[in-house]
Amino acid sequence: MQSEPKANILLVDDHPENLLALEAVLSSLGQNLVKANSGMEALRCLLNEDFAVILLDVQMPELDGFETARLIRARERSRQTPIIFQTAYGTSDTNIFTGYSLGAIDYLVKPIEPEILLSKVSMFVNLFKNTAQVKQQALDLEAVNAELKKNEQQFRSFSACLPVGIFMTDIEGKCTYTNPRCQAICGFTLEESLGDGWLRSVYPEDSDRVIAQWYTYTRQRKEYSHECRFQTREGIVRWAYIRSSPLLSNKGELIGFVGTVEDITPTKEAEASLRESKQMLQLVMNNIPQLIFWKDRKSVYLGCNYNFARVAGVNTPEGIVGKTDYDLAWNKEEADWYRECDNRIMEADTPQYHIVETQFQADGKQSWAETNKIPLHDDAGNVVGILGTYEDITDKKLVEETLKKSEEDLKIRVEERTLELNHTIQNLQSEIAERQRTQQELQQAKEAAEVANCAKSDFLSLVSHELRTPLTSVLGFAKIIKKKLDSVIFPEVQSEDKKVRKTIKQVEENLDIIVSEGERLTNLINSVLDLAKLEAGKIEWKTEPIYISEIIEQATAATSALFETKPLKLIKDIENELPELVGDKDRLIQVVINLISNAVKFTPEGCITCRAKRINNEVVISVIDSGIGIAGADQEQVFEKFKQVGNTLTDKPKGTGLGLPICKQIVEHHQGRIWVESKLGKESNFSFTLPISTGGNFEFEKVDLDTLLKQLKGHVITSKASSNKQKKTILVVDDEASIRELLTQQLEAEGYIVRQAKDGMDAITQVKKEHPDLIILDVMMPAMNGFDVAAVLKNDPGTTTIPIIILSIIEDKDRGYCLGIDRYLAKPINQEELLNAIESLLAQETSKKKVLVVDEDESTIKILTDVLQAKGYSVVEASNGQECIEKAISAKPDMIIIDSILSKRDNLAKTLRFEKGLENVLFFLVANGNVNGLNQS
């Protein structure tokens, strides 16, 4: 009995004592132990032997265990050989992971338990032997089957290599075999083709015919030859040519049928394509307007298109085949000419184009033709015929002759017309020169009108300014006289004499008339100045978010006294939730007040309605009265300057005629429209529109830090702490003695000590000698104007802290505040406003002057805080919206400077407006943290 072959076990370690230890443990297995003391030696062993398992040390010089494993796995022969790593050092998770990633079946750490090692190795030895046994059995089985299949394989190999399909059937025509090519052509598998299965793949339209023919031929034992289509499961249709013959045994007996199947799909597709191409070519030739023909080398026609056949007198293009030019409609001379031309072109092998010739057609008419002829060549380059195209140019010839005649006529007419045009051009040049002179005169007139208009505005402004000075004195002294009469003189006159009492009453009434008319004249002057500034574009617009409901509320409140003198009812009809708009709030209130005042003036009784509603992208504000109405002819004039409605000789004007023109200028500045709808004797409806802002953004008025500080001074809330007015000295500086005297009397009546300076130099001299507590300063003065005086005083450290109020007819607040003045008031003097300003400035030492600075940027907060504290303000800081609300409620600041983005995001301005005690707080919005470009809300 042959002994069982031993399996090879490869032991790899660079320490001989380790190899001996492994050999001692594994020798009991009785297998062939092969030892290697390095990775390179292990690889040499693997070149010639197969191993059941490899025990591989990790830590080895030159080539460690991991590199050795990679090389083992790189060889196809040893790729599946089991590897067990063993090591005493590389016990980290990384090394273990590396070992398993290289295909190791185990990773053992020294010292190794002999029983464990023996168990693992014996398992792989048994597996190796079993695998070898299975392989040997498989080889034996293959040898047995190989002989059995040899003959069949030879036939199938032969048939599989054939480029045609092969099939075999039994004597009844049932399929018993198909080769792969047959299966590919017909779209079925071998199993699907057996029996009658192959017939189920025949194309449905061919199926009945093929089945009938096939069984007829097999019953008759004849050869079969037919074309048909097969359809695969994927829907692909192929054409096939099927041929079969009876299959006879050695004894001549029928044992079945054998046949071939050829794929003729490309041939069929080529035939169809060729057929379609010919049809398309013929279709194209029959439909193009040119006439086409082709002949052989002897000028015999081979074909033509339909148009040529019709002209040549044959019914169809096929009818011309085999004919010559002598057989067609044209005469002999023309046929000779055509034959000569054909021969010349074919002999020279050169095409000829644009041959113009006459021709008699089949209908007997003579025509003109333009012909192109080119020689035709075979594959060898020999001339085998000629291709010709020609076009009937009879109409073209007639048009050319007509055009030639027309050109001659046109030439004559052009010469005549040229003479007329030259004359017309001369006239036009004269007219253009005249128009240019007129245009130049119009431009000069326009410029003169613009200069006159500017002069008019300047004149109105100058006159208005000049009127203000005496008017200030008249109004001021009249009020002083009235006050002193009422408080001092009249109480002392205790006479019961009716004449005396009547005189006192007349004096009181006369003074009231002086004050009333003075104030009316002041309003007229202000209207003239407003109009002049609007036309000159010098109005300072304060753009801010506005709500129409607030504007109407303030306007109606301001005009409420007007309704007390007449039986009139005010109706407010304001649509809910009107959107926020952008505009100058004060100017728009001025517009509504003017419209309401006009309505009251011209409405004896009834009602006046203030209405606001949204229409598309606009808000329409209307003031509707039930008054006397306006005639249609007057409606166009009401917005013109100094225009009065009605007959000014019989109807006393009730105004200056400037209110509506000013309203028109203000509304149009806001991109709105203003108009009137009225019926004489019934009612009037004055309406204006304001556009709704689509972006939600608006430009704030830009102010620098200095201007901001001046505005903070102007809005600081002063306390009512008592002060000894008798100890406060005020210096009044004005070149008009009447104004100085007026101010002196008014201020002394309030308990102030008043000194006077007649001009700027006098003022500076007096201030240097003795500092006043406050200075009231005019602007327009000889030698040195008020702005220069303010500049000198504010730049002198010794006088810079003295408050200055400018009181002038010149309205240039920006310049004044830039110089550092504290208030800027306009003449005529509003005594109450002036006294409040004086009291506020003299009480600065007890002012709260508290400012809340809110910004998320710490650097911005620091800059603002440093500047404001240097100017004497008390500063509270907040870095977010919540902190802003808490500190505003607790600290009650006079002003809040806030980042515009932060305010919009947290809706801070609107939130704080509704907090008690913060209703009148002034807000300044800082855009983009730009301290040098603060924006005022």
Side-chain angles (χ1 to χ4, degrees), residues 693-757:
S693 175
T694 56
N697 297 323
F698 55 89
E699 291 295 327
F700 290 104
E701 180 185 357
K702 299 287 184 178
V703 295
D704 59 23
L705 192 55
D706 288 337
T707 304
L708 173 64
L709 293 173
K710 302 306 176 293
Q711 292 177 347
L712 290 176
K713 285 183 180 181
H715 291 88
V716 71
I717 301 173
T718 59
S719 70
K720 297 299 181 179
S722 62
S723 61
N724 190 351
K725 295 181 179 178
Q726 288 74 10
K727 295 183 180 181
K728 299 295 183 181
T729 302
I730 299 176
L731 177 62
V732 176
V733 187
D734 199 303
D735 62 324
E736 294 287 344
S738 60
I739 300 298
R740 295 199 303 272
E741 184 60 29
L742 172 62
L743 289 171
T744 299
Q745 291 186 25
Q746 290 177 336
L747 295 174
E748 286 179 346
E750 297 296 323
Y752 294 108
I753 300 173
V754 182
R755 300 207 314 265
Q756 296 184 11

Side-chain angles (χ1 to χ4, degrees), residues 1 100 110 130 177 206 217 230 402 404 571 585 797 885:
M1 181 176 178
Y100 282 116
K110 299 176 182 179
N130 292 337
Y177 168 76
D206 299 344
Y217 276 76
F230 286 89
T402 303
K404 184 177 180 181
I571 300 172
K585 182 178 181 180
I885 294 172

Side-chain angles (χ1 to χ4, degrees), residues 299-319:
S299 292
V300 176
Y301 282 95
L302 299 175
C304 69
N305 67 349
Y306 180 78
N307 288 335
F308 187 86
R310 177 180 53 80
V311 172
V314 295
N315 294 328
T316 63
E318 291 77 12

Side-chain angles (χ1 to χ4, degrees), residues 339-353:
R339 178 67 63 86
E340 179 186 348
C341 183
D342 293 346
N343 290 334
R344 183 173 65 252
I345 292 171
M346 287 188 286
E347 290 295 335
D349 194 8
T350 303
Q352 190 170 353
Y353 304 103

Side-chain angles (χ1 to χ4, degrees), residues 607-622:
C607 65
I608 293 173
T609 302
C610 285
R611 178 176 296 154
K613 61 181 179 179
R614 176 173 182 168
I615 299 178
N616 297 328
N617 291 325
E618 295 178 323
V619 173
V620 181
I621 302 94
S622 303

Side-chain angles (χ1 to χ4, degrees), residues 517-533:
E517 291 301 306
E519 290 176 347
R520 192 162 73 88
L521 183 57
T522 299
N523 292 333
L524 173 60
I525 292 171
N526 289 337
S527 295
V528 171
L529 286 175
D530 266 357
L531 188 61
K533 286 191 289 185

Side-chain angles (χ1 to χ4, degrees), residues 590-604:
Q590 179 183 348
V591 172
V592 179
I593 289 175
N594 190 281
L595 296 181
I596 295 176
S597 300
N598 285 348
V600 173
K601 287 178 187 177
F602 297 101
T603 307

